[in-house]
């Protein structure tokens, strides 16, 4: 073996540990965004009962319907003619 090959082999376990650590930190960084996205696909009672569950049961798009004002999904503020809609 040449000295270059032996140097590469001696650094491999350290690099492997570094990559495993970086992958774990990356997952910890992304996890809150994944939880928030999955929670947006839950019903309000399911989100309140199981806030950290990664499986929405039942799957629901009601929060997006409410966000974009599509259909009759949840509470919306009534608009008055001539005045801007304002929820209190």
């Amino acid at each position: 073996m040449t000295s270059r090959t032996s140097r590469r082999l001696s650094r491999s376990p350290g690099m492997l540990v570094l990559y495993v650590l970086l992958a774990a930190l990356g997952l910890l960084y992304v996890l809150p965004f994944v939880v928030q996205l999955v929670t947006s696909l839950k019903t309000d009672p399911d989100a309140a009962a199981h806030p950290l569950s990664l499986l929405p049961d039942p799957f629901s798009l009601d929060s997006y319907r409410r966000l974009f004002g599509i259909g009759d999904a949840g509470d919306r503020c009534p608009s008055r003619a001539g005045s801007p809609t304002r929820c209190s």
Side-chain angles (χ1 to χ4, degrees), residues 10-58:
S10 67
R11 277 193 268 166
S12 298
M15 292 301 288
L16 179 64
V17 169
L18 178 66
Y19 287 133
V20 168
L21 181 64
L22 287 173
L25 288 174
L27 286 174
L28 282 174
Y29 182 78
V30 170
L31 186 63
F33 298 104
V34 171
V35 169
Q36 190 65 36
L37 179 67
V38 171
T39 302
S40 73
L41 299 173
K42 297 178 183 178
T43 61
D44 289 339
D46 187 37
H50 310 287
L52 296 178
S53 170
L54 292 178
L55 297 172
D57 182 34

